[in-house]
Amino acid sequence: MIQSALQSLDPERRTALIQLVRYALAGLAITLAVAGSYWAITDLLGVGPMLSFTIVFIVFSGISYVTHGEYSFKGHGERDRHHVRMGRFFAINVLGFLVNQGFIWLLVKQLDGPTWWPIIPMVFLTPILTFALHRRFVYA
């Protein structure tokens, strides 16, 4: 049933849907690891939330690049040389980092909320933004 539904889509939409599903699976695992690491470093080690997220971002950016390049967008985005694609990938990840830091700043620093509050938009909003940008500008 799923196979026939996929076959009924035009090739571009089918490819985009498959990439979205792969990105969701890989991205969910990475995002949950990022969120859990951010929370653990912040609450268990007592590191400030914005510094904690910076540390986590640096560590997981490389993991994310390899995972999404080899799995989520496998076989897609070969138009650029590796270093160009990597530069675009990290530029979009920096944008996602800034968005997430904005959530931390607003929800924890300004509203004095618990450190887990920013995890909600980190998991549900930022990945949608970064998928759209990765698909359009990195793996096009």
Side-chain angles (χ1 to χ4, degrees):
M1 171 125 176
I2 294 174
Q3 187 71 12
S4 64
L6 281 175
Q7 294 303 324
S8 68
L9 295 173
D10 68 79
E12 177 63 24
R13 288 180 188 235
R14 182 174 44 247
T15 299
L17 180 60
I18 290 168
Q19 289 171 354
L20 178 60
V21 169
R22 286 181 180 171
Y23 188 89
L25 293 173
L28 179 63
I30 292 167
T31 300
L32 292 176
V34 165
S37 299
Y38 152 77
W39 177 83
I41 292 171
T42 302
D43 281 17
L44 301 179
L45 298 180
V47 176
M50 295 184 86
L51 177 58
S52 170
F53 189 73
T54 302
I55 293 166
V56 170
F57 171 78
I58 292 168
V59 170
F60 279 93
S61 285
I63 294 168
S64 180
Y65 178 73
V66 171
T67 302
H68 290 308
E70 295 298 318
Y71 177 70
S72 302
F73 296 103
K74 186 176 183 175
H76 195 73
E78 300 297 325
R79 71 172 184 195
D80 294 324
R81 288 176 288 181
H82 180 71
H83 70 282
V84 173
R85 189 170 53 247
M86 185 186 316
R88 289 179 180 167
F89 182 90
F90 285 116
I92 289 170
N93 273 20
V94 167
L95 177 63
F97 167 78
L98 294 173
V99 168
N100 286 335
Q101 284 286 38
F103 293 140
I104 294 168
W105 176 83
L106 176 65
L107 299 172
V108 177
K109 296 292 192 179
Q110 299 304 307
L111 299 178
D112 204 30
T115 56
W116 62 264
W117 276 6
I119 291 173
I120 295 168
M122 280 181 200
V123 170
F124 293 105
L125 297 178
T126 308
I128 295 168
L129 170 69
T130 56
F131 171 79
L133 293 173
H134 282 142
R135 176 120 179 33
R136 180 153 178 100
F137 298 110
V138 179
Y139 300 103

